[in-house]
């Protein structure tokens, strides 16, 4: 290699590439005439409400039917966001004051807010090198108050689902899979979302398929589905004409107003049909990159339990020390490994905001929406005074955050983009890692 091309761009050399990589939003790139056709159909029918209308097209219903097939569950319910989906499921599971919900410290803020808004107490569990919940730490954290394990399949790939499933069974806990970041992922051929008592997905713009906003609940038990249904709506069941039925005594509760609109359903239906293609493309690109870089001394890749089941949306790489990690990312970005201005394509995980428990200020400060401090003030939750959510609570998560980086794998990378990413990793590693 000539001297010019081996000089890093941060040291004044030529960058590997000058064009930004594509935006990271996987589903958005694939929005096309299928979405347009479905949405137009709803508009032409003048029927954007899912339960009745002058000429309802039942897009949400079709989306739910596809989802039942895709995720191998007998029940599916479209809702308006992943955040609400989490809240609805926990509420339907009866989670409330006095209950603990176990969740990993690498997460999304919605996971915590859903627990708090149910009036329960979150119990943080450390991660292992899958960057998902560590089953050993989970076992340590189970108490007589534990009610639900929330396993979050983070950054595109499944957590240790069999181990967590066994724990839930052994301790008679409910298992909720948060698949918002791993739609289309699988473990040993079985889709994420099919393992837990219930699972949720998100259709927000950053996710593997998108309708801008939207969410999905899937579950195995009919009574649980019916409770989710009532809660996602106005607290009651509906009859065959889509009208509220307040007389059904098994389904009289309080609703949160999270129905999915037909416009959302129309997009979600078209996107779900593309999920396999989208994840296949990301997985293929990601594993080319990963295979090329994982043998570089001085870095290691996140452990993926089943590469075939990786949705491929993210590459996580870990270094020996924080300084090296941060220098490496700066150098990669200078080589042109970044998206358009404003994108979060390539970053140290210290910049990954509300994905880490210790950045959630409302959790650390035990904030309440209510004047009386609920749920922290509830007598059944008095035990929370022994729990801290400050940085330092989860040694492995704290450590991995400091010295890991994350590269989002766009769903439209070309072979040239993939080659550039590989070349940039190699170029930066030759200078920064061998000197260390
Ligand atoms: C995005 C996300 C959610 C929330 O989904 P929204 O549709 O944005 O409300 C929940 N959990 C995880 C892990 C997420 O990444």
């Amino acid at each position: 290699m000539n001297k010019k091309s081996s000089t890093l761009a941060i040291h004044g050399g030529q960058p590997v590439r000058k064009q930004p990589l594509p935006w990271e939003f996987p589903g958005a790139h694939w929005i096309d005439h299928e979405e347009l056709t479905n949405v137009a159909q709803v508009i032409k029918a003048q029927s954007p409400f899912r339960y009745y209308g002058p000429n309802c097209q039942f897009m949400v219903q079709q989306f739910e039917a596809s989802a039942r097939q895709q995720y191998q569950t007998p029940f599916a319910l479209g809702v308006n966001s992943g955040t609400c989906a989490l809240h609805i499921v926990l509420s339907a599971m009866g989670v409330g004051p006095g209950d603990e919900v176990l969740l990993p410290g690498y997460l999304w803020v919605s996971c915590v807010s859903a627990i708090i808004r149910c009036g329960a107490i979150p119990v943080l569990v450390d991660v292992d090198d899958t960057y998902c919940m560590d089953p050993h730490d989970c076992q340590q954290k189970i108490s007589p108050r534990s009610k639900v394990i929330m396993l979050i399949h983070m950054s595109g790939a499944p957590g240790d689902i069999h181990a967590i499933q066994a724990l839930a069974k052994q301790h008679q806990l409910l298992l909720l899979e948060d698949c918002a970041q791993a739609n289309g992922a699988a473990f040993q051929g079985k889709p994420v979302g099919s393992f837990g008592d219930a699972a949720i997905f998100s259709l927000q713009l950053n996710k593997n398929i998108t309708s801008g906003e939207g969410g999905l609940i899937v579950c195995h038990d009919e009574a649980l589905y019916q409770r989710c249904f009532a809660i996602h709506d106005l607290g009651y069941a509906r009859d065959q004409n889509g009208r509220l039925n307040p007389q059904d005594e098994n389904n009289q509760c309080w609703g949160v107003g999270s129905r999915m609109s037909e416009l959302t359903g129309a997009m979600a239906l078209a996107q779900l049909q593309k999920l396999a293609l989208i994840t296949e493309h990301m997985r293929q690109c990601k594993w080319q990159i990963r295979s090329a870089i994982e043998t570089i001394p001085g870095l290691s890749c996140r452990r993926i339990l089943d590469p075939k089941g990786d949705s491929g949306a993210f590459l996580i790489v870990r270094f020996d020390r924080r300084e090296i990690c941060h220098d490496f990312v700066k150098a990669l970005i200078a080589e042109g490994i970044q998206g358009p201005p404003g994108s979060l394509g390539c970053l140290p995980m210290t910049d990954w905001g509300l994905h880490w428990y210790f950045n959630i200020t409302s959790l650390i400060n035990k904030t309440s929406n209510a004047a009386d401090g609920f749920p922290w003030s509830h007598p059944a939750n008095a035990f929370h005074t022994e729990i801290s959510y400050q940085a330092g609570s989860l040694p492995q998560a704290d450590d991995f955050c400091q010295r890991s980086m994350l590269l989002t794998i766009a769903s439209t990378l070309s072979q040239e983009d993939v080659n550039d990413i590989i070349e940039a990793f190699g170029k930066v590693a030759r200078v920064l890692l061998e000197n260390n």
Side-chain angles (χ1 to χ4, degrees), residues 15-52:
V16 169
R17 61 182 283 135
K18 296 208 168 86
Q19 278 292 100
L21 291 166
W23 282 97
E24 61 265 29
F25 315 119
H29 291 292
W30 294 63
I31 296 173
D32 208 337
H33 50 84
E34 297 82 4
E35 286 78 358
L36 195 56
T37 305
N38 283 4
V39 171
Q41 195 180 320
V42 171
I43 291 172
K44 282 181 196 147
Q46 301 181 315
S47 299
F49 184 62
R50 70 166 296 186
Y51 292 115
Y52 48 78

Side-chain angles (χ1 to χ4, degrees), residues 80-86 107-111 152-154 178-181 200-207 212-215 355:
N80 68 345
S81 76
T83 303
C84 272
L86 286 167
L107 42 58
W108 182 237
V109 59
S110 311
C111 306
I152 317 175
H153 303 297
M154 288 301 289
D178 180 339
C179 311
Q181 298 196 5
I200 72 96
F201 295 84
S202 165
L203 300 164
Q204 186 267 344
L205 188 68
N206 290 83
K207 317 300 176 163
E213 297 281 8
H355 287 99

